[in-house]
Amino acid sequence: MYQRILVPVDGSPTSARGLDEAIRIAKLTHGQLRLLHVIDELSFALSMDAYAGYAGGWLDTLRDQGRTLLEGCKATAQAAGVEAEVVLRDTFAGSVHEQVTAEAGTWPADLIVLGTHGRRGVGRVVMGSSAENILRYATVPVLLVRAAESKAKTDSRAG
């Protein structure tokens, strides 16, 4: 059960929560993780400043940041006693969800675990939802790990 766990990571706190959950599952099942970071056209465009100049420099920077992120996530898994390998996808071969679901099929994964911001309404429309599309198109089970609620939101519900 769940021996091959694919974990898309983007460096956000929500992504870290997904990684933590994937590590817990892998420890229970004696599974392994494949940590995936995708540089897609949207992330590339958002990282560029209008006056940035040479785009190749930005792509190199994003690649370096992606490798650093992946190695940090791998170290976290290994410190917990979980085997992990890393994959950086930077070819603009499709959207994040297309690349994640393709990776799940070709590896092949038994489970995809990822953090989700849980955006609703206008925020979801504007930002899109990679998690929703991964859930929709994946051919393997998907575990969505919610972002931590802020203390202010939690306190307002208690009162």
Side-chain angles (χ1 to χ4, degrees), residues 34-52:
R34 177 170 276 197
L35 309 170
L36 173 67
H37 180 70
V38 176
I39 300 171
D40 67 331
E41 291 173 349
L42 179 59
S43 61
F44 181 70
L46 291 174
S47 71
M48 290 197 52
D49 183 80
Y51 305 102

Side-chain angles (χ1 to χ4, degrees), residues 104-116:
T106 58
W107 181 33
D110 299 319
L111 175 69
I112 301 170
V113 177
L114 69 150
T116 179

